[in-house]
Amino acid sequence: MARKFVCTTTEPVVQTKYGKLRGFILDGTYTFYGIKYADAKRFQLPVPPQSWEGVKDALGYGYVCPMLKQDEPGSGELKVPHRYWPMDENCQYLNIWTQSVDPSAKKPVMVWLHGGGFFAGSSIEQQAYDGDALSRFGDVVVVTLNHRLNILGYLDLSPFGEKYKNSGNAGNADMVAALQWIHDNIAAFGGDPENVTLFGQSGGGMKVYSLMQTPSADGLFHKGIIQSGVANFPNKTLPDGTKIVNALMEELGLKDVEELETVPYEDLAKAYNKVSPALAEAGIYVGANGPIPDDFYPGDPFVIGFTDHAKTIPVMVGTVLDEFPAFGPGYPNRHTMTKEEGRKLVAEKFGEKNADQLISLFEKAYPGKPLCDLVMMDGFFRKASKDFIKMKAACTESATYSYMFTLELPVDEGSGPWHCSEIPFVFHNATTTPYCNIPGVTEKLEYQMASAWVNFARYGNPNDPSLPQWPTSTADDEACMIFDKECEVRHNHDNQLVDLHLTCAPAFKPGSKVKVEH
C-alpha cells in the first residue's frame, strides 16, 4: 500500500534563525535532510552558517567527512548494512525527523553521534541510523549529524601559532556548533531545546562523554547514552603535534605551515598515512583520533575526573556481550560442541591454568550461553564501561544506568552479538535489518529497547512497564539490565569474570579491531 507523501512548494516549510527550509512528510513524519549548521575553514573553529533569502531545500543529505582510508564497499554488509555518500571537508550538516513542526510541541530531542572512532563514519553510514521509525515510535525529534574527522578534525597544529590554537579539537567544536544550532532552532521542528539527549555508539559514545567534559557544551544537552563507547586509554601527557606536522610538511615538500590549509585532502591523507606509522611506532604523538586537552577540552574523565557539570548529567552506559564476533572466527558447532571441545577453545585462548575458573565464572554470569561466547567475549569496552559506571555512579548528583545486549543473532548457526548489532533495536529499525529478524523475539525486544532509550530521553529514567524494574547503579552495585530474549537485571554479575579475563586475554591494540566496525 502506498504511503502518504507530501512535498509541495509551501509544505512543509520551517523558519529557522538563518532562513526557511523545506523538507517532506512521509506518513506523518516531517523529514529534513542536509541542514547546514556551521561553516569552517580547514583547521579553524566553526562559525555560524550564512543566512539566505527565500526557501532552501532540505531534501538531500549533506556531504560526509572524507576518510583517511577507503575500505572496499560491500564488506560486512550483512552484519553492518552501509550507505555511502559523497565526501567533502565542508561537512557540517545535520538531519531531522520529527512528528510536529509546532514550536509549542516541546518534544524530547535525541541527537545521534555516529561511530567510527574520531576518524571515520558518518551520520547516514549505517542504514539503521535512519531516524524515521524512532521518531514515530517515541514521538521524539531525532537528529543525526556529520562533523570533521581524522586530520581535518583532530590534527594538532597549535605549536605553529595562535591561529591553530584549537585545531586538535576542531571536530568536537563542530559538534558543539551543531548543539548550539539545535538549541537555537529545534523548537521550530517541535523540539524542546531544554530536553536534549546525546546518544552514540562506539566512537559516538566516546563523543558523548567528551562533550560532557566540554564547558562550551554545558547546557546544550542534558542526558547522555553511551553504547559500546567507553575506552580507557586516554592521553596522560599533553599531546604535541610538532613532529607529525613537520613530517607532513617534509613529505609534501612544503615550507610554510599555512600551505597545509590548501593541499588537496587526498594528498594530505596520503602523506599522513605514509609518515604517521613510523612516528606512532616510536611512541610519538600523531593525533587525528580524538580531542586533546586544552582550554576548550579539560580532559578525559579517567585522567581528570568528571567536571562539575558532567557530574549532573544522567547517563546510560552499556556494551554487547561479544563485540567482535563479526570480525573473528565463526563456530558452526556453536550449539553442538561438547563441554570438552568448548574447554579446549577456552584453554587455547586464555591458557590452561585459567580455563576452568573462567568457564565457571562465565557460566555463572551468563547462564545458558555457549562457551564460544566466552572465547569471543569483549573485555575491552566492558571493563572500561564498568570503571566508568562505578566512577560516574559515585557522583550522586545524577543517575547512572547500566545495560548489556546479549542476544544471540541468527547468522550461520548462531552468533553472539557483535559491535553495532544493537543499533537497529535502539532505532526501532530491527525488522528492516535482515539479521535482527527472530520470530517471537524481534518485535518484543525492539519495543523494550526503543522504549528504554526514549524514556531515558524524555524523563532521564529508562524504566518501562515492558521491562523488569531497572534501578540506578551505585559505586558498589552495578545494576545491569540484560537485553535478551528475556530481559532481567543482574547485580555485579560479571565482576570476577571481567577481572580475570583482563589478566589473561590477548592484549587489545587500539585501532586494530575497532576500525573494522564500519
Side-chain angles (χ1 to χ4, degrees):
M1 181 181 294
R3 304 170 69 184
K4 184 178 180 180
F5 173 76
V6 178
C7 183
T8 72
T9 56
T10 59
E11 184 183 12
V13 174
V14 168
Q15 177 71 55
T16 74
K17 181 179 178 179
Y18 303 100
K20 293 181 178 180
L21 289 169
R22 179 177 75 131
F24 65 89
I25 310 171
L26 186 61
D27 283 351
T29 300
Y30 294 78
T31 305
F32 300 83
Y33 291 150
I35 301 172
K36 200 75 168 71
Y37 66 79
D39 292 310
K41 295 180 180 179
R42 186 182 288 182
F43 307 135
Q44 304 301 309
L45 293 179
V47 297
Q50 295 293 314
S51 299
W52 64 89
E53 299 293 331
V55 179
K56 179 182 287 189
D57 281 348
L59 302 174
Y61 297 118
Y63 291 117
V64 305
C65 186
M67 308 299 162
L68 281 173
K69 296 180 180 179
Q70 296 303 311
D71 293 329
E72 288 294 325
S75 61
E77 289 305 302
L78 174 65
K79 292 187 174 181
V80 187
H82 283 55
R83 290 185 294 200
Y84 301 90
W85 202 252
M87 296 179 291
D88 190 278
E89 58 189 279
N90 178 36
C91 61
Q92 294 88 0
Y93 292 91
L94 57 79
N95 313 297
I96 299 174
W97 295 262
T98 181
Q99 301 306 299
S100 173
V101 290
D102 179 354
S104 67
K106 293 190 175 181
K107 299 180 185 296
V109 181
M110 300 181 69
V111 180
W112 176 252
L113 304 179
H114 68 77
F118 291 85
F119 56 87
S122 80
S123 66
I124 65 165
E125 179 189 32
Q126 292 192 33
Q127 293 181 22
Y129 291 174
D130 189 280
D132 173 82
L134 182 60
S135 176
R136 278 188 285 110
F137 172 79
D139 194 19
V140 294
V141 181
V142 177
V143 183
T144 67
L145 63 92
N146 297 330
H147 63 94
R148 283 174 289 177
L149 303 163
N150 55 69
I151 50 179
L152 297 173
Y154 300 98
L155 182 64
D156 176 34
L157 290 91
S158 61
F160 296 86
E162 185 70 17
K163 178 180 182 180
Y164 304 112
K165 179 179 179 180
N166 205 36
S167 63
N169 290 317
N172 273 42
D174 282 356
M175 289 185 277
V176 174
L179 292 174
Q180 186 66 60
W181 189 99
I182 291 165
H183 182 269
D184 294 343
N185 295 281
I186 205 64
F189 298 85
D192 183 356
E194 302 306 321
N195 191 9
V196 176
T197 298
L198 301 186
F199 68 129
Q201 186 268 351
S202 194
M206 298 173 195
K207 295 165 193 175
V208 171
Y209 69 85
S210 70
L211 290 168
M212 288 171 60
Q213 298 283 103
T214 301
S216 58
D218 290 357
L220 298 181
F221 71 99
H222 311 91
K223 294 175 284 291
I225 303 175
I226 302 167
Q227 304 173 212
S228 300
V230 182
N232 190 0
F233 45 76
N235 292 314
K236 297 184 179 180
T237 58
L238 189 65
D240 183 343
T242 303
K243 291 186 177 180
I244 181 62
V245 173
N246 281 333
L248 280 172
M249 292 175 63
E250 181 178 353
E251 176 66 23
L252 291 164
L254 307 180
K255 301 297 183 182
D256 189 326
V257 70
E258 289 191 345
E259 294 179 86
L260 288 172
E261 298 176 24
T262 56
V263 171
Y265 176 80
E266 293 77 8
D267 295 338
L268 190 63
K270 183 178 179 180
Y272 180 85
N273 290 334
K274 183 175 180 179
V275 303
S276 61
L279 292 176
E281 185 69 23
I284 296 170
Y285 170 79
V286 295
N289 190 22
I292 62 173
D294 63 6
D295 293 343
F296 175 85
Y297 173 66
D300 190 289
F302 284 115
V303 176
I304 68 166
F306 288 104
T307 65
D308 288 342
H309 184 74
K311 293 175 183 178
T312 69
I313 298 175
V315 296
M316 200 164 88
V317 183
T319 63
V320 307
L321 176 59
D322 291 354
E323 296 289 358
F324 301 117
F327 321 114
Y331 295 98
N333 61 338
R334 177 179 176 85
H335 292 294
T336 59
M337 72 170 62
T338 65
K339 185 73 175 280
E340 291 73 22
E341 290 171 328
R343 188 191 182 284
K344 182 180 179 183
L345 290 175
V346 173
E348 286 174 351
K349 182 168 184 179
F350 301 112
E352 180 66 32
K353 70 175 183 177
N354 302 302
D356 291 330
Q357 188 178 2
L358 276 171
I359 289 170
S360 176
L361 291 172
F362 179 79
E363 291 178 338
K364 181 180 178 181
Y366 299 104
K369 296 295 183 184
L371 289 181
C372 50
D373 278 338
L374 170 56
V375 176
M376 295 302 299
M377 189 185 89
D378 163 60
F380 173 68
F381 289 112
R382 180 61 179 145
K383 173 58 178 173
S385 295
K386 287 174 72 70
D387 291 344
F388 185 99
I389 290 164
K390 183 178 180 67
M391 185 168 64
K392 179 62 172 60
C395 305
T396 56
E397 295 91 330
S398 60
T400 300
Y401 292 91
S402 171
Y403 77 87
M404 284 195 72
F405 181 74
T406 63
L407 180 69
E408 179 178 283
L409 296 164
V411 175
D412 298 326
E413 281 66 41
S415 171
W418 53 82
H419 203 54
C420 305
S421 61
E422 87 285 8
I423 294 173
F425 291 88
V426 168
F427 272 86
H428 210 264
N429 282 326
T431 56
T432 64
T433 306
Y435 69 77
C436 293
N437 286 271
I438 307 171
V441 174
T442 298
E443 292 183 354
K444 176 185 175 183
L445 185 57
E446 175 185 60
Y447 180 92
Q448 291 170 314
M449 293 188 70
S451 293
W453 265 245
V454 166
N455 289 345
F456 185 80
R458 181 168 274 114
Y459 308 115
N461 185 330
N463 275 284
D464 187 82
S466 66
L467 289 166
Q469 182 63 30
W470 186 354
T472 59
S473 290
T474 68
D476 298 319
D477 178 20
E478 182 194 1
C480 185
M481 176 65 74
I482 304 295
F483 286 106
D484 209 315
K485 291 180 180 179
E486 297 297 330
C487 298
E488 62 177 306
V489 173
R490 299 179 191 162
H491 295 264
N492 295 329
H493 70 287
D494 62 350
N495 286 7
Q496 292 177 282
L497 172 65
V498 170
D499 288 344
L500 179 58
H501 183 268
L502 186 67
T503 68
C504 55
F508 180 87
K509 295 181 179 179
S512 58
K513 293 181 180 177
V514 175
K515 69 180 180 181
V516 298
E517 72 198 46
H518 300 281

